[in-house]
Amino acid sequence: MFSIYHQVQSQVSVIELYVEFKQLPLVVEEPDPIKEWEGYNSESEEEFDSNYEIVDSNEGRDHVYSTRLTLSQNHSKLNSDTIAEAIKSLVKADPSLKIEEVQSRFNYMISYRKAWLAKQKSIEKVFGGWKSSYEVLYTWFEAMCQKEPSAAVEFESIIPYDGNKIAPDVRVDSTNLCGKYKGTLLVAVSQDGNQNIVPIAFAIVEGETSDAWYFFLSRLRKHVVTRDGVGLISNQHDSIKSAIARSNGAWEPPRAFHMFCIFLTGSSKTMREYNMRYQKLHEQGEIYTEWLDKIPRSQYALAFDEGYRWGCMTTNLVECINSVLKGVRNLPVTALVKETFNRLNELFTRKRAEAEAQMNVGHVFSEFVITKLQAYQRAAGNIQVNCLDMQNEIFEVREIPIGVEYRVNLRQCRCDCGDFQVDRIPCLHVFATCANQHLDWQVYVNEVYRLDEIRKVYRARFRPLGDPTTWPVYQGPRMIPNPTFKRVCIGHPKKPRRCRICGGNGHRCSRCPQDVGSSRGGSVASAPY
């Protein structure tokens, strides 16, 4: 704790401020708002002598020093280096620490620019330099491959394990890097049989381009998702569609089925439900249904996707992976890779232990399945079942007392309600049918929901890399960051100003030379309406 005296030149009274550095709970928030470097106070320490005076303040306090300053609201002695040293522990705990959090730690006004610089410098102190991080990345990759020969590393992509033990659907998306150098992190995830998110592949690329997605998807198909009949869910970005078109059928039927991230109308599990929602959408405006009609229904609607979505409509799971990789987007490239490696190690170890613990107490299926089937069992008593064939495969069921009827086909694993073929577990009507006919419902539960299969998802073990002095000497090419990708301003770039009067860029309508009555223009023109 130290004290600061703030004295306004025209006044005699002083305000005594106490600044205490202490750990505060961190809050996960959205990225920082748009801010530019221009317009912030200088960090020059040379201004200190002219604006600040060190005085001894021993009245009532022993060994307490204070600083008396003028009206300047940007304490030059509290520079970015000092702040960087003070927040090292905070940055280490959460590299995504917001700039406003950094400012609030000091109870004294510091500029956004100074706080931003301090955070970047603190990250360098904790996780290594931004530029040098690129140089050691190959060395780290080579050490990882030596410790774990089954690891697949191809330039920017990192593939952690065999992805064929998960549910056969993959969701891909991208997110921007937030450090000193621009870049994009491509991510592919799936789910295990307990609906947990499973990261399966990552790639660091310069941007979300067709070439970047082609590189990522081709390596994903080669190393991870080698089975046929897999579903691929993404947004409708042109670069992804272009990359799939170049894949030589690797991500096209029958080997794979590309589907889009659309909810609302697309979440209909039956044709009747789809038609109702489509009609409501049409009533809101023909423009909506005209846009939807341009997309094949099999690419966005559960009722027509033949079950390849496994009930998943969006790529939101990719966004949720940020909870596992919280803060890594703010780190230098090698630190980003290392933190991803370490956090996946923790995730896989924990999930494997959870599956084994459930198996040790006699459970066969995941908690997700057990919870659903217990609810179905309680409701099965209100369903009337009639067998329609001699093979005990086709049934007609009726919900009592509402009287709604459904057709169940056990051989094809289908029910008119749509849940059976979407979730790949017995729906309410199938469970009631099995109970009525004394059939084993467990044979209709897909194997991905079995605990022994869930344990296989997390069977990969991440071996420690050991002391860097024991790593092999790297003799390959030297990697350097692209200098054109170095950030020159804080936050997201602003869109160019566009005049609503003349349509030109670089000025607003208030400064348009064609504005009515303008003294800056050579003539008076009518503004279009």
Side-chain angles (χ1 to χ4, degrees), residues 196-305:
N196 294 311
I197 305 171
V198 183
I200 60 177
F202 305 90
I204 302 172
V205 296
E206 289 188 341
E208 194 174 3
T209 65
S210 176
D211 289 339
W213 275 113
Y214 175 76
F215 169 85
F216 182 58
L217 293 175
S218 61
R219 270 59 178 183
L220 180 66
R221 197 62 161 133
K222 176 182 177 181
H223 294 293
V224 182
V225 187
T226 59
R227 73 174 83 182
D228 289 339
V230 64
L232 177 68
I233 304 176
S234 75
N235 58 38
Q236 298 188 59
H237 200 286
D238 289 339
S239 61
I240 299 179
K241 293 189 285 187
S242 175
I244 290 176
R246 297 165 52 190
S247 67
N248 296 323
W251 291 104
E252 296 176 346
R255 295 196 61 196
F257 298 84
H258 183 209
M259 296 164 289
F260 296 132
C261 173
I262 299 178
F263 193 66
L264 297 178
T265 304
S267 61
S268 307
K269 295 182 179 180
T270 65
M271 188 176 299
R272 178 175 175 272
E273 184 181 5
Y274 172 83
N275 291 333
M276 291 176 58
R277 292 187 174 182
Y278 183 91
Q279 182 60 35
K280 290 182 179 180
L281 186 65
H282 183 77
E283 292 172 356
Q284 295 180 16
E286 293 185 8
I287 187 174
Y288 302 116
T289 52
E290 288 176 358
W291 174 83
L292 199 62
D293 290 340
K294 297 177 182 179
I295 308 173
R297 291 185 296 183
S298 60
Q299 288 190 287
Y300 71 87
L302 288 176
F304 304 95
D305 72 347

Side-chain angles (χ1 to χ4, degrees), residues 384-437:
Q384 179 182 347
V385 179
N386 296 317
C387 182
L388 300 182
D389 69 337
M390 298 296 295
Q391 289 77 29
N392 278 3
E393 293 179 340
I394 301 177
F395 301 86
E396 183 182 73
V397 300
R398 175 180 297 177
E399 293 185 0
I400 306 297
I402 59 178
V404 180
E405 297 182 351
Y406 298 91
R407 182 183 176 92
V408 175
N409 189 322
L410 296 180
R411 180 168 57 87
Q412 297 180 358
C413 294
R414 299 187 65 85
C415 178
D416 287 347
C417 72
D419 292 337
F420 192 15
Q421 53 268 33
V422 168
D423 296 331
R424 310 294 179 94
I425 60 176
C427 64
L428 169 64
H429 311 107
V430 173
F431 194 90
T433 299
C434 291
N436 181 270
Q437 298 294 314

Side-chain angles (χ1 to χ4, degrees), residues 446-516:
N446 193 281
E447 64 176 5
V448 301
Y449 297 109
R450 298 180 63 90
L451 287 171
D452 53 353
E453 292 296 320
I454 295 176
R455 180 177 60 178
K456 292 178 182 178
V457 171
Y458 303 102
R459 65 181 179 180
R461 298 181 184 273
F462 297 74
R463 293 177 174 83
L465 303 188
D467 192 328
T469 59
T470 65
W471 295 357
V473 178
Y474 177 70
Q475 302 292 342
R478 178 169 169 260
M479 180 184 292
I480 60 174
N482 186 340
T484 63
F485 276 68
K486 186 176 180 180
R487 297 187 189 276
V488 295
C489 63
I490 305 172
H492 302 286
K494 290 183 177 180
K495 294 182 180 180
R497 294 178 176 178
R498 185 176 181 87
C499 178
R500 291 178 294 176
I501 296 178
C502 68
N505 292 325
H507 67 274
R508 301 187 183 218
C509 56
S510 60
R511 294 183 176 271
C512 179
Q514 299 183 20
D515 190 10
V516 177

Side-chain angles (χ1 to χ4, degrees), residues 101-370:
E101 284 287 317
V102 176
Q103 293 174 310
S104 66
R105 301 286 168 172
F106 296 89
N107 292 334
Y108 193 84
M109 182 176 291
I110 58 175
S111 69
Y112 187 96
R113 175 177 182 265
K114 181 181 290 186
W116 187 89
L117 286 172
K119 178 183 173 182
Q120 305 310 310
K121 292 179 180 180
S122 185
I123 288 177
E124 287 193 54
K125 292 176 182 291
V126 175
F127 298 100
W130 294 97
K131 186 175 181 179
S132 61
S133 182
Y134 282 85
E135 298 177 358
V136 301
L137 183 59
Y138 274 137
T139 303
W140 192 89
F141 277 155
E142 191 166 288
M144 184 185 71
C145 291
Q146 184 189 59
K147 299 291 184 178
E148 180 50 68
S150 64
V153 177
E154 294 194 26
F155 299 99
E156 295 92 352
S157 71
I158 312 161
I159 313 295
Y161 75 109
D162 178 10
N164 290 321
K165 297 299 180 182
I166 56 177
D169 71 305
V170 179
R171 281 141 262 186
V172 296
D173 206 346
S174 65
T175 183
N176 293 326
L177 302 183
C178 303
K180 190 172 184 177
Y181 290 92
K182 301 174 186 177
T184 302
L185 178 66
L186 306 183
V187 184
V189 305
S190 187
Q191 285 181 291
D192 65 15
N194 201 29
Q195 302 294 287
N196 294 311
I197 305 171
V198 183
I200 60 177
F202 305 90
I204 302 172
V205 296
E206 289 188 341
E208 194 174 3
T209 65
S210 176
D211 289 339
W213 275 113
Y214 175 76
F215 169 85
F216 182 58
L217 293 175
S218 61
R219 270 59 178 183
L220 180 66
R221 197 62 161 133
K222 176 182 177 181
H223 294 293
V224 182
V225 187
T226 59
R227 73 174 83 182
D228 289 339
V230 64
L232 177 68
I233 304 176
S234 75
N235 58 38
Q236 298 188 59
H237 200 286
D238 289 339
S239 61
I240 299 179
K241 293 189 285 187
S242 175
I244 290 176
R246 297 165 52 190
S247 67
N248 296 323
W251 291 104
E252 296 176 346
R255 295 196 61 196
F257 298 84
H258 183 209
M259 296 164 289
F260 296 132
C261 173
I262 299 178
F263 193 66
L264 297 178
T265 304
S267 61
S268 307
K269 295 182 179 180
T270 65
M271 188 176 299
R272 178 175 175 272
E273 184 181 5
Y274 172 83
N275 291 333
M276 291 176 58
R277 292 187 174 182
Y278 183 91
Q279 182 60 35
K280 290 182 179 180
L281 186 65
H282 183 77
E283 292 172 356
Q284 295 180 16
E286 293 185 8
I287 187 174
Y288 302 116
T289 52
E290 288 176 358
W291 174 83
L292 199 62
D293 290 340
K294 297 177 182 179
I295 308 173
R297 291 185 296 183
S298 60
Q299 288 190 287
Y300 71 87
L302 288 176
F304 304 95
D305 72 347
E306 299 299 327
Y308 291 109
R309 280 183 179 269
W310 288 71
C312 179
M313 294 305 304
T314 69
T315 59
N316 290 349
L317 286 182
V318 185
E319 304 293 339
C320 294
I321 199 60
N322 287 333
S323 62
V324 177
L325 304 178
K326 179 175 176 287
V328 300
R329 296 188 300 142
N330 301 75
L331 301 179
V333 61
T334 299
L336 183 154
V337 174
K338 291 170 65 176
E339 282 296 304
T340 301
F341 180 89
N342 293 334
R343 295 186 190 190
L344 288 181
N345 174 35
E346 188 278 330
L347 175 68
F348 277 46
T349 302
R350 174 165 47 86
K351 291 301 181 181
R352 182 171 59 247
E354 291 176 1
E356 291 176 349
Q358 291 292 311
M359 294 174 62
N360 291 337
V361 296
H363 294 168
V364 177
F365 299 106
S366 68
E367 182 180 356
F368 168 76
V369 170
I370 295 301

